[in-house]
Amino acid sequence: MTHQKNIETAGPDNTEQLIALLDGLQPSKQQQKTLLFQKLFPGIERALNRDVPQKTILVELQKMNLSLSMGGFRALLENEKKLRIENGERMQCETCGSTVSKSKPTLADLIAPKESIKGDDNA
């Protein structure tokens, strides 16, 4: 209640102090892990596409101060993949720019090319 009263009576001098307090806030440890994982995701995905074992990737992430359990790694990986698919992002080869396919195609992946071929026939 006292905090609310202080905010309501904030003048120009007090406003600067409040802004300084807000500027000093940091994300939680879990949010920091998630943000770092998101930044590293393209490299993680490329490593997985080269059949680098997840355990090896975890060891390297540990060296980068991103300590995860195998379950935590897999959860972040699946969440990030899901978000990127929902946003329409696709993995691309760094050399040629073509879309990198998943190691295990889904039924939707197998059906999609056939639908685009039917649409091109204009029959």
Side-chain angles (χ1 to χ4, degrees):
M1 188 92 174
T2 307
H3 182 68
Q4 181 65 28
K5 185 177 179 182
N6 288 340
I7 292 173
E8 290 172 357
T9 60
D13 294 335
N14 197 12
T15 301
E16 291 300 321
Q17 291 174 345
L18 294 173
I19 290 172
L21 287 171
L22 290 172
D23 287 342
L25 296 175
Q26 296 296 319
S28 71
K29 293 287 184 191
Q30 183 59 41
Q31 289 171 318
Q32 290 175 14
K33 282 184 177 186
T34 301
L35 291 171
L36 181 54
F37 190 89
Q38 289 171 341
K39 289 178 185 177
L40 297 174
F41 179 78
I44 293 168
E45 189 72 1
R46 286 192 297 269
L48 291 170
N49 283 333
R50 291 190 311 271
D51 295 326
V52 175
Q54 290 181 353
K55 187 174 181 179
T56 303
I57 295 170
L58 276 177
V59 169
E60 290 303 312
L61 292 176
Q62 175 74 35
K63 292 177 186 176
M64 298 174 199
N65 293 322
L66 182 55
S67 178
L68 298 168
S69 66
M70 183 58 77
F73 173 78
R74 289 179 178 159
L76 284 172
L77 185 65
E78 290 306 311
N79 287 338
E80 191 61 24
K81 283 181 181 181
K82 182 180 175 183
L83 284 173
R84 290 178 186 241
I85 289 170
E86 288 173 0
N87 290 332
E89 295 180 36
R90 299 281 183 237
M91 279 293 297
Q92 294 183 331
C93 175
E94 289 181 332
T95 307
C96 67
S98 66
T99 301
V100 177
S101 64
K102 300 172 195 164
S103 57
K104 296 179 183 175
T106 64
L107 182 58
D109 294 333
L110 298 172
I111 293 172
K114 292 178 183 176
E115 290 175 357
S116 63
I117 292 171
K118 287 180 185 176
D120 291 341
D121 287 346
N122 295 326

